[in-house]
Amino acid sequence: MTPPLSRRTLLASTLGATAGMALPLTRAEADATTTAELHWLDGAPAETTGSAWGVPWPRGRLAKGTKLALTTADGTEVPVQSWPLAYWPDGTLKWTGHAIGGASAERFTLAPGTPATPQDPVTVRRDGSDLILANGTVELRLATRGDVVLPEIRRAERVTATAGRLVLDIQDRPDDETGAPARSSYRGVIEQATVEQPGPVRAVVKLTGTYRRGNRKILPWTLRVYLSSGEAVRLVHSFIWDADQERDFIRGLGLRFDVPMTDETYDRHVRFGVTGGGVWGEPVRVLTGLRRDPGAAVNAAQVAGSATPPREQWNTQVSSAYTALAEWNDFRLAQESAEHFTVAKRTSAAGSWLRHAGRGRRASGFGYVGGISGGLGFGLTDFWQRFPRALDIRGAAGATAQVTLWSWAPDGPPMDLRHYDTVAHGLDLAYEDVQEGFSTPEGIVGSTEMLLWAFDRTPARSRIAALEAALTATPQLVAAPEWLHAAGVFGRWSLPDRSTGARATLEDALDREIAFYAGQVDQRQWYGYWHYGDVMHTYDADRHEWRYDVGGYAWDNGELGSDLLLWYAFLRSGKPGTFRLARAMTRHVSEVDTHHTGRFAGLGSRHNVSNWGDGAKEARIGESFTRRFSFYLTTDELLGDLIRYSLRADKTLLTVEPLREVLPPQALAPTRLRIGPDWYALVSNWLTEWERTGDVRWRDKIVTGMTDIAAFPAGLFTGEAGGAVGFDPATGHLTNLSKGDYTGGYNLAMAFGGEQILWEALDLVDVPAFEATLLDFARYVQAPSAEKIAHFGFDFNPQVFATIYSRVTAWAGEQTGDAVVRKRGWDLFLNDAAGKPWPAPVTVDGVQEIPSGDFATNDFAQRGLAIVALLAIAPGEAP
């Protein structure tokens, strides 16, 4: 048998080579690997509010501290701000983060060089206890203590908004219980302020605090404030649930500002972004549609939002009596569901709302209040997807308007985070693992992205449409799939390969199934504040409905790598729709399906009717590996924080042992876990922290565990219940608890991206004994009985899934140069029922379904992951 290739030698010889992967790099291309070509994901935007993105670099190409410059295709320099995101083990840059202000070019080039200096640098300075962020157009005052987080937004000499504060309204029971609920209001109080980036292209400040009422403090929150060039401010708010789901029901959660109003009421305007880039817009005092026409110029100005001609130029019948006309004081855009929004207005609290002012299907989430001398624009991303949401304006006819951006709008029902039932329904029938006290939302996160604009006039309707596009699909710069692939990041994956009819069939099926899921999100209405981004686990062909109400068959929670597949699909294709589907799922799984604080800190919840309801709290759902894609590609700071929370799983496993319900207690180690997926998930957490910080303590934990496993007589076959071993969180040591070797049993070690985690880890650490142990496992985990007997002297059944383990089987053939084993990997996949593509969807009662009975997301995810990996590992044996 050919000796195994080292991972480094293999990558050096095959990086980007063979059919189904990137073509071999020419010498010129190799010399140019420090020049990254970038493009806009959705094409060049008409408006941007600044953009941030990440770029990977091949190992050894860029030394730490290398400066990078950005230019357009014609060589024009673009000011760019850069920072390190991750390092290779040799200290060279693995990922770099970048930010620009506005830029309209189609394509850019990023390469070593001195970055251009912005004409108006973004600065951060202190003024007493406040922080002042400025960019030459907008000046933003941030507090570092107190309950007014944004005291002032100013443009030139005009104050655009003041008194920005976080608001929270809670009631003590749902609306449908007997008796009126008692309601109380909380204020967001700052406890800490950190300048994360001081400019010159972008400033980032992180405020943290809690919501308070009297002596009670709940829902720790974070508010990041971003300022780049132009008139826009970006805000990302998040909170961690630590309240009581039995008596705390959020009625309203938002950010509120006061907006000075100085123009005549007929020159004051309100704008809302509505369906399909449309604009709902009216003045505070309406002069059009009267019994007496004020004149064409007045009518045009009222519609456009521009200055009305002097009153002496109006029809005198209007100019002499206009003060008798109504002044509309309050306005509200409410997205009550994913299918319906309303616009309402009223003259005062003493009058009724006119609820037919506007209506439609899906609003963009843009709003504006102000006048011809300027005003405040504001908006929420994912406005209709994460209903109930609202934009609320009060007092527009007075000296000061009040604007509230409602992340959770009072228009909807109160937020009810109780589990869906008070009793468990069992694994045998409902596939549900509910345990006493485990169905809790403690430690989950809710987030909202908001944008503010300090306008010097009422924006034109055409410009609002462009701003809406930036709000509904955030402009994102990305590198091409070929660059991402050649950088050697994210394990083993292939570029699309349609070189044969059979391969084209596999690729087409993968594309078709991803499109099917994108369609299901919309057709099945998988939207809402807590649910957007998730998909369902299993279909019920009898009801022609997903099993939304059946225990563990409901929300998927990234089971078996559905999020992982979507990211690999994007890396391979560069498709905008796949990117947004993957990013929404990562946001959901990382925030809603994972507990960040409290009893289950660092662990996530298995699939269930309630996202957090299942009793299986596991590290695999909270692991960093699947989140790194989104974090490194977008530089999302909040996601970076949540990734770091995953490190808390080490300590949590001392009290929440994964196998507590399966095996009797043990006293040989501080706690117990499975090598896979539990230890693999921890490896991904440690690996991510190591590459982000360069702190080798995290590397050493990985090496310690690998060394221990290599010393186990049964290697990766060790352990009952799918690989149970002892674990010491303090040292990273693993202990062999097995009563005998090669005990077999249900094995999920590679079911949640375990093989990709190990492949990437082995590319970064040098533990030959563990590499040999992994190879032994991979070579024989699906080998015929005769081969296992010849190698081990006996037979055993690891009870693995053919499609899931086809990847490691093929990898064993690649490492040993054994074409027979490489082909075995393909055969196991292609001959497995779970590996066969679904037939084309059919339409039943207006929605699509797969005409193959009770299909499951598990099969879709694992089938796609097999295609992605097998084409990279064993392209020569592909059909």
Side-chain angles (χ1 to χ4, degrees), residues 714-744:
L716 286 167
F717 289 107
T718 298
E720 297 178 275
V725 295
F727 173 58
D728 185 349
T731 64
H733 272 296
L734 301 176
T735 304
N736 187 0
L737 305 176
S738 180
K739 298 175 183 177
D741 297 339
Y742 304 96
T743 53

PDB file of all heavy atoms in Angstrom, residues 714-744:
ATOM      1  N   ALA A 714      -8.263   1.738  20.114  1.00  0.00           N
ATOM      2  CA  ALA A 714      -9.235   1.696  19.020  1.00  0.00           C
ATOM      3  C   ALA A 714      -9.294   3.002  18.245  1.00  0.00           C
ATOM      4  O   ALA A 714     -10.136   3.157  17.357  1.00  0.00           O
ATOM      5  CB  ALA A 714     -10.619   1.349  19.567  1.00  0.00           C
ATOM      6  N   GLY A 715      -8.429   3.953  18.560  1.00  0.00           N
ATOM      7  CA  GLY A 715      -8.390   5.215  17.818  1.00  0.00           C
ATOM      8  C   GLY A 715      -9.733   5.903  17.775  1.00  0.00           C
ATOM      9  O   GLY A 715     -10.399   6.080  18.803  1.00  0.00           O
ATOM     10  N   LEU A 716     -10.176   6.277  16.582  1.00  0.00           N
ATOM     11  CA  LEU A 716     -11.443   6.986  16.418  1.00  0.00           C
ATOM     12  C   LEU A 716     -12.647   6.052  16.465  1.00  0.00           C
ATOM     13  O   LEU A 716     -13.789   6.505  16.384  1.00  0.00           O
ATOM     14  CB  LEU A 716     -11.437   7.772  15.112  1.00  0.00           C
ATOM     15  CG  LEU A 716     -10.564   9.033  15.140  1.00  0.00           C
ATOM     16  CD1 LEU A 716     -10.342   9.581  13.756  1.00  0.00           C
ATOM     17  CD2 LEU A 716     -11.193  10.092  16.029  1.00  0.00           C
ATOM     18  N   PHE A 717     -12.414   4.762  16.608  1.00  0.00           N
ATOM     19  CA  PHE A 717     -13.509   3.814  16.823  1.00  0.00           C
ATOM     20  C   PHE A 717     -13.806   3.663  18.311  1.00  0.00           C
ATOM     21  O   PHE A 717     -14.672   2.883  18.702  1.00  0.00           O
ATOM     22  CB  PHE A 717     -13.155   2.441  16.242  1.00  0.00           C
ATOM     23  CG  PHE A 717     -13.150   2.396  14.742  1.00  0.00           C
ATOM     24  CD1 PHE A 717     -11.948   2.326  14.043  1.00  0.00           C
ATOM     25  CD2 PHE A 717     -14.334   2.425  14.029  1.00  0.00           C
ATOM     26  CE1 PHE A 717     -11.942   2.270  12.658  1.00  0.00           C
ATOM     27  CE2 PHE A 717     -14.338   2.371  12.641  1.00  0.00           C
ATOM     28  CZ  PHE A 717     -13.138   2.295  11.955  1.00  0.00           C
ATOM     29  N   THR A 718     -13.107   4.392  19.148  1.00  0.00           N
ATOM     30  CA  THR A 718     -13.220   4.250  20.597  1.00  0.00           C
ATOM     31  C   THR A 718     -14.587   4.706  21.090  1.00  0.00           C
ATOM     32  O   THR A 718     -15.127   5.716  20.625  1.00  0.00           O
ATOM     33  CB  THR A 718     -12.126   5.075  21.295  1.00  0.00           C
ATOM     34  OG1 THR A 718     -10.860   4.568  20.915  1.00  0.00           O
ATOM     35  CG2 THR A 718     -12.271   5.027  22.809  1.00  0.00           C
ATOM     36  N   GLY A 719     -15.107   4.001  22.085  1.00  0.00           N
ATOM     37  CA  GLY A 719     -16.209   4.524  22.874  1.00  0.00           C
ATOM     38  C   GLY A 719     -17.570   3.948  22.586  1.00  0.00           C
ATOM     39  O   GLY A 719     -17.923   3.672  21.451  1.00  0.00           O
ATOM     40  N   GLU A 720     -18.354   3.835  23.657  1.00  0.00           N
ATOM     41  CA  GLU A 720     -19.754   3.452  23.541  1.00  0.00           C
ATOM     42  C   GLU A 720     -20.568   4.645  23.049  1.00  0.00           C
ATOM     43  O   GLU A 720     -20.116   5.783  23.058  1.00  0.00           O
ATOM     44  CB  GLU A 720     -20.288   3.019  24.904  1.00  0.00           C
ATOM     45  CG  GLU A 720     -19.617   1.798  25.492  1.00  0.00           C
ATOM     46  CD  GLU A 720     -20.172   1.485  26.868  1.00  0.00           C
ATOM     47  OE1 GLU A 720     -19.675   2.085  27.850  1.00  0.00           O
ATOM     48  OE2 GLU A 720     -21.100   0.674  26.957  1.00  0.00           O
ATOM     49  N   ALA A 721     -21.792   4.330  22.650  1.00  0.00           N
ATOM     50  CA  ALA A 721     -22.756   5.371  22.270  1.00  0.00           C
ATOM     51  C   ALA A 721     -22.175   6.337  21.246  1.00  0.00           C
ATOM     52  O   ALA A 721     -22.358   7.542  21.328  1.00  0.00           O
ATOM     53  CB  ALA A 721     -23.236   6.134  23.512  1.00  0.00           C
ATOM     54  N   GLY A 722     -21.470   5.779  20.265  1.00  0.00           N
ATOM     55  CA  GLY A 722     -20.962   6.612  19.189  1.00  0.00           C
ATOM     56  C   GLY A 722     -19.713   7.378  19.518  1.00  0.00           C
ATOM     57  O   GLY A 722     -19.469   8.439  18.945  1.00  0.00           O
ATOM     58  N   GLY A 723     -18.885   6.888  20.454  1.00  0.00           N
ATOM     59  CA  GLY A 723     -17.587   7.512  20.677  1.00  0.00           C
ATOM     60  C   GLY A 723     -17.430   8.204  22.003  1.00  0.00           C
ATOM     61  O   GLY A 723     -16.776   9.254  22.087  1.00  0.00           O
ATOM     62  N   ALA A 724     -18.004   7.666  23.081  1.00  0.00           N
ATOM     63  CA  ALA A 724     -17.924   8.318  24.384  1.00  0.00           C
ATOM     64  C   ALA A 724     -16.522   8.226  24.962  1.00  0.00           C
ATOM     65  O   ALA A 724     -15.941   7.154  25.056  1.00  0.00           O
ATOM     66  CB  ALA A 724     -18.914   7.666  25.348  1.00  0.00           C
ATOM     67  N   VAL A 725     -15.974   9.370  25.351  1.00  0.00           N
ATOM     68  CA  VAL A 725     -14.671   9.437  26.013  1.00  0.00           C
ATOM     69  C   VAL A 725     -14.751  10.472  27.128  1.00  0.00           C
ATOM     70  O   VAL A 725     -15.642  11.319  27.157  1.00  0.00           O
ATOM     71  CB  VAL A 725     -13.538   9.824  25.028  1.00  0.00           C
ATOM     72  CG1 VAL A 725     -13.344   8.748  23.970  1.00  0.00           C
ATOM     73  CG2 VAL A 725     -13.826  11.174  24.369  1.00  0.00           C
ATOM     74  N   GLY A 726     -13.814  10.405  28.054  1.00  0.00           N
ATOM     75  CA  GLY A 726     -13.730  11.410  29.099  1.00  0.00           C
ATOM     76  C   GLY A 726     -13.091  12.681  28.581  1.00  0.00           C
ATOM     77  O   GLY A 726     -12.284  12.657  27.638  1.00  0.00           O
ATOM     78  N   PHE A 727     -13.440  13.821  29.197  1.00  0.00           N
ATOM     79  CA  PHE A 727     -12.927  15.112  28.745  1.00  0.00           C
ATOM     80  C   PHE A 727     -12.663  16.006  29.939  1.00  0.00           C
ATOM     81  O   PHE A 727     -13.490  16.126  30.853  1.00  0.00           O
ATOM     82  CB  PHE A 727     -13.937  15.773  27.806  1.00  0.00           C
ATOM     83  CG  PHE A 727     -13.581  17.184  27.400  1.00  0.00           C
ATOM     84  CD1 PHE A 727     -12.376  17.458  26.750  1.00  0.00           C
ATOM     85  CD2 PHE A 727     -14.443  18.240  27.675  1.00  0.00           C
ATOM     86  CE1 PHE A 727     -12.052  18.762  26.368  1.00  0.00           C
ATOM     87  CE2 PHE A 727     -14.128  19.540  27.297  1.00  0.00           C
ATOM     88  CZ  PHE A 727     -12.926  19.802  26.644  1.00  0.00           C
ATOM     89  N   ASP A 728     -11.490  16.663  29.904  1.00  0.00           N
ATOM     90  CA  ASP A 728     -11.121  17.646  30.923  1.00  0.00           C
ATOM     91  C   ASP A 728     -11.053  19.013  30.256  1.00  0.00           C
ATOM     92  O   ASP A 728     -10.113  19.310  29.517  1.00  0.00           O
ATOM     93  CB  ASP A 728      -9.771  17.286  31.536  1.00  0.00           C
ATOM     94  CG  ASP A 728      -9.401  18.225  32.684  1.00  0.00           C
ATOM     95  OD1 ASP A 728     -10.075  19.258  32.866  1.00  0.00           O
ATOM     96  OD2 ASP A 728      -8.424  17.922  33.398  1.00  0.00           O
ATOM     97  N   PRO A 729     -12.046  19.875  30.473  1.00  0.00           N
ATOM     98  CA  PRO A 729     -12.038  21.189  29.822  1.00  0.00           C
ATOM     99  C   PRO A 729     -10.822  22.036  30.155  1.00  0.00           C
ATOM    100  O   PRO A 729     -10.397  22.859  29.339  1.00  0.00           O
ATOM    101  CB  PRO A 729     -13.323  21.844  30.336  1.00  0.00           C
ATOM    102  CG  PRO A 729     -14.192  20.717  30.761  1.00  0.00           C
ATOM    103  CD  PRO A 729     -13.250  19.671  31.284  1.00  0.00           C
ATOM    104  N   ALA A 730     -10.256  21.854  31.320  1.00  0.00           N
ATOM    105  CA  ALA A 730      -9.119  22.685  31.736  1.00  0.00           C
ATOM    106  C   ALA A 730      -7.872  22.396  30.911  1.00  0.00           C
ATOM    107  O   ALA A 730      -7.086  23.304  30.615  1.00  0.00           O
ATOM    108  CB  ALA A 730      -8.828  22.477  33.216  1.00  0.00           C
ATOM    109  N   THR A 731      -7.685  21.147  30.536  1.00  0.00           N
ATOM    110  CA  THR A 731      -6.446  20.759  29.836  1.00  0.00           C
ATOM    111  C   THR A 731      -6.670  20.345  28.394  1.00  0.00           C
ATOM    112  O   THR A 731      -5.731  20.314  27.599  1.00  0.00           O
ATOM    113  CB  THR A 731      -5.777  19.591  30.568  1.00  0.00           C
ATOM    114  OG1 THR A 731      -6.654  18.445  30.511  1.00  0.00           O
ATOM    115  CG2 THR A 731      -5.498  19.936  32.018  1.00  0.00           C
ATOM    116  N   GLY A 732      -7.915  19.974  28.069  1.00  0.00           N
ATOM    117  CA  GLY A 732      -8.188  19.451  26.743  1.00  0.00           C
ATOM    118  C   GLY A 732      -7.940  17.966  26.622  1.00  0.00           C
ATOM    119  O   GLY A 732      -8.127  17.385  25.537  1.00  0.00           O
ATOM    120  N   HIS A 733      -7.524  17.312  27.697  1.00  0.00           N
ATOM    121  CA  HIS A 733      -7.220  15.880  27.625  1.00  0.00           C
ATOM    122  C   HIS A 733      -8.493  15.046  27.480  1.00  0.00           C
ATOM    123  O   HIS A 733      -9.541  15.356  28.064  1.00  0.00           O
ATOM    124  CB  HIS A 733      -6.470  15.431  28.881  1.00  0.00           C
ATOM    125  CG  HIS A 733      -4.991  15.597  28.773  1.00  0.00           C
ATOM    126  ND1 HIS A 733      -4.223  14.903  27.857  1.00  0.00           N
ATOM    127  CD2 HIS A 733      -4.125  16.387  29.467  1.00  0.00           C
ATOM    128  CE1 HIS A 733      -2.952  15.258  27.988  1.00  0.00           C
ATOM    129  NE2 HIS A 733      -2.857  16.166  28.951  1.00  0.00           N
ATOM    130  N   LEU A 734      -8.375  13.968  26.697  1.00  0.00           N
ATOM    131  CA  LEU A 734      -9.431  12.989  26.519  1.00  0.00           C
ATOM    132  C   LEU A 734      -9.006  11.688  27.194  1.00  0.00           C
ATOM    133  O   LEU A 734      -7.830  11.319  27.172  1.00  0.00           O
ATOM    134  CB  LEU A 734      -9.694  12.748  25.034  1.00  0.00           C
ATOM    135  CG  LEU A 734     -10.119  13.969  24.215  1.00  0.00           C
ATOM    136  CD1 LEU A 734     -10.247  13.604  22.739  1.00  0.00           C
ATOM    137  CD2 LEU A 734     -11.421  14.577  24.731  1.00  0.00           C
ATOM    138  N   THR A 735      -9.980  10.973  27.755  1.00  0.00           N
ATOM    139  CA  THR A 735      -9.706   9.739  28.487  1.00  0.00           C
ATOM    140  C   THR A 735     -10.496   8.594  27.863  1.00  0.00           C
ATOM    141  O   THR A 735     -11.694   8.738  27.576  1.00  0.00           O
ATOM    142  CB  THR A 735     -10.125   9.878  29.960  1.00  0.00           C
ATOM    143  OG1 THR A 735      -9.450  11.004  30.537  1.00  0.00           O
ATOM    144  CG2 THR A 735      -9.778   8.623  30.746  1.00  0.00           C
ATOM    145  N   ASN A 736      -9.834   7.465  27.660  1.00  0.00           N
ATOM    146  CA  ASN A 736     -10.490   6.277  27.123  1.00  0.00           C
ATOM    147  C   ASN A 736     -11.340   5.623  28.214  1.00  0.00           C
ATOM    148  O   ASN A 736     -10.825   5.111  29.197  1.00  0.00           O
ATOM    149  CB  ASN A 736      -9.441   5.291  26.601  1.00  0.00           C
ATOM    150  CG  ASN A 736     -10.070   4.109  25.880  1.00  0.00           C
ATOM    151  OD1 ASN A 736     -11.286   4.015  25.767  1.00  0.00           O
ATOM    152  ND2 ASN A 736      -9.218   3.207  25.405  1.00  0.00           N
ATOM    153  N   LEU A 737     -12.649   5.644  28.028  1.00  0.00           N
ATOM    154  CA  LEU A 737     -13.573   5.051  28.996  1.00  0.00           C
ATOM    155  C   LEU A 737     -14.117   3.718  28.508  1.00  0.00           C
ATOM    156  O   LEU A 737     -14.958   3.107  29.174  1.00  0.00           O
ATOM    157  CB  LEU A 737     -14.758   5.997  29.252  1.00  0.00           C
ATOM    158  CG  LEU A 737     -14.436   7.421  29.703  1.00  0.00           C
ATOM    159  CD1 LEU A 737     -15.713   8.238  29.814  1.00  0.00           C
ATOM    160  CD2 LEU A 737     -13.692   7.412  31.028  1.00  0.00           C
ATOM    161  N   SER A 738     -13.673   3.284  27.348  1.00  0.00           N
ATOM    162  CA  SER A 738     -14.261   2.113  26.706  1.00  0.00           C
ATOM    163  C   SER A 738     -13.956   0.833  27.467  1.00  0.00           C
ATOM    164  O   SER A 738     -12.841   0.617  27.948  1.00  0.00           O
ATOM    165  CB  SER A 738     -13.740   1.985  25.274  1.00  0.00           C
ATOM    166  OG  SER A 738     -14.300   0.868  24.641  1.00  0.00           O
ATOM    167  N   LYS A 739     -14.951  -0.059  27.532  1.00  0.00           N
ATOM    168  CA  LYS A 739     -14.768  -1.364  28.164  1.00  0.00           C
ATOM    169  C   LYS A 739     -14.013  -2.308  27.240  1.00  0.00           C
ATOM    170  O   LYS A 739     -13.442  -3.301  27.679  1.00  0.00           O
ATOM    171  CB  LYS A 739     -16.127  -1.960  28.515  1.00  0.00           C
ATOM    172  CG  LYS A 739     -16.917  -1.130  29.520  1.00  0.00           C
ATOM    173  CD  LYS A 739     -18.310  -1.713  29.744  1.00  0.00           C
ATOM    174  CE  LYS A 739     -19.119  -0.851  30.696  1.00  0.00           C
ATOM    175  NZ  LYS A 739     -20.496  -1.373  30.875  1.00  0.00           N
ATOM    176  N   GLY A 740     -14.068  -2.037  25.966  1.00  0.00           N
ATOM    177  CA  GLY A 740     -13.385  -2.872  24.985  1.00  0.00           C
ATOM    178  C   GLY A 740     -13.148  -2.069  23.735  1.00  0.00           C
ATOM    179  O   GLY A 740     -13.646  -0.956  23.580  1.00  0.00           O
ATOM    180  N   ASP A 741     -12.378  -2.604  22.834  1.00  0.00           N
ATOM    181  CA  ASP A 741     -12.051  -1.892  21.614  1.00  0.00           C
ATOM    182  C   ASP A 741     -13.076  -2.190  20.518  1.00  0.00           C
ATOM    183  O   ASP A 741     -13.685  -3.266  20.486  1.00  0.00           O
ATOM    184  CB  ASP A 741     -10.664  -2.293  21.123  1.00  0.00           C
ATOM    185  CG  ASP A 741      -9.579  -1.912  22.124  1.00  0.00           C
ATOM    186  OD1 ASP A 741      -9.844  -1.020  22.943  1.00  0.00           O
ATOM    187  OD2 ASP A 741      -8.495  -2.514  22.071  1.00  0.00           O
ATOM    188  N   TYR A 742     -13.238  -1.252  19.629  1.00  0.00           N
ATOM    189  CA  TYR A 742     -14.069  -1.446  18.434  1.00  0.00           C
ATOM    190  C   TYR A 742     -15.452  -1.975  18.801  1.00  0.00           C
ATOM    191  O   TYR A 742     -15.932  -2.974  18.280  1.00  0.00           O
ATOM    192  CB  TYR A 742     -13.373  -2.407  17.441  1.00  0.00           C
ATOM    193  CG  TYR A 742     -11.987  -1.934  17.064  1.00  0.00           C
ATOM    194  CD1 TYR A 742     -10.859  -2.413  17.731  1.00  0.00           C
ATOM    195  CD2 TYR A 742     -11.823  -0.974  16.080  1.00  0.00           C
ATOM    196  CE1 TYR A 742      -9.589  -1.951  17.413  1.00  0.00           C
ATOM    197  CE2 TYR A 742     -10.559  -0.505  15.749  1.00  0.00           C
ATOM    198  CZ  TYR A 742      -9.446  -0.998  16.424  1.00  0.00           C
ATOM    199  OH  TYR A 742      -8.200  -0.539  16.096  1.00  0.00           O
ATOM    200  N   THR A 743     -16.072  -1.279  19.753  1.00  0.00           N
ATOM    201  CA  THR A 743     -17.374  -1.728  20.241  1.00  0.00           C
ATOM    202  C   THR A 743     -18.478  -1.490  19.225  1.00  0.00           C
ATOM    203  O   THR A 743     -19.553  -2.050  19.354  1.00  0.00           O
ATOM    204  CB  THR A 743     -17.726  -0.987  21.543  1.00  0.00           C
ATOM    205  OG1 THR A 743     -17.619   0.424  21.323  1.00  0.00           O
ATOM    206  CG2 THR A 743     -16.797  -1.391  22.661  1.00  0.00           C
ATOM    207  N   GLY A 744     -18.213  -0.654  18.220  1.00  0.00           N
ATOM    208  CA  GLY A 744     -19.246  -0.357  17.239  1.00  0.00           C
ATOM    209  C   GLY A 744     -20.319   0.524  17.845  1.00  0.00           C
ATOM    210  O   GLY A 744     -20.117   1.198  18.841  1.00  0.00           O
TER     211      GLY A 744
END
